[in-house]
Amino acid sequence: AGFVAHQAAWGFDLEPLTDAELEVMTILWSDGEMKPQEILERFPRAITNSTLRSFLTDLVEKGHVTRVRRGKAYFYRPLTKRD
């Protein structure tokens, strides 16, 4: 399964995903909006919290993911869809 690299509503192409970013997206596509710790618990291999946060920052900057703050926590959800 791949991903949609074009968001028609925005009218521009998004940067492609790295393998690690695709792992994060697969979790978000499967389980929906979640906190970084929840993503970390589902990640298919051992990574640090700071590594995951780096992936999430890159995904937000690339336009694949959005985040919203609720209280002290950030929640991340996918903007692009799996094809």
Side-chain angles (χ1 to χ4, degrees):
F3 64 95
V4 176
H6 178 76
Q7 186 63 263
W10 294 339
F12 61 87
D13 291 331
L14 299 173
E15 289 185 53
L17 298 173
T18 66
D19 290 343
E21 291 167 350
L22 184 56
E23 289 177 304
V24 174
M25 291 301 296
T26 299
I27 294 166
L28 291 173
W29 285 324
S30 174
D31 297 326
E33 183 179 272
M34 55 183 47
K35 296 185 288 189
Q37 184 59 38
E38 296 168 323
I39 298 168
L40 200 58
E41 291 167 0
R42 290 166 176 78
F43 211 76
R45 57 190 166 84
I47 61 168
T48 65
N49 187 308
S50 62
T51 298
L52 174 63
R53 288 179 187 274
S54 177
F55 296 156
L56 289 168
T57 297
D58 290 345
L59 286 165
V60 170
E61 289 175 359
K62 288 182 176 184
H64 291 286
V65 170
T66 189
R67 74 178 188 173
V68 62
R69 187 172 183 162
R70 293 198 190 105
K72 295 182 179 181
Y74 281 104
F75 288 78
Y76 293 81
R77 69 177 171 87
L79 290 174
T80 53
K81 296 184 179 5
R82 207 185 314 213
D83 57 277

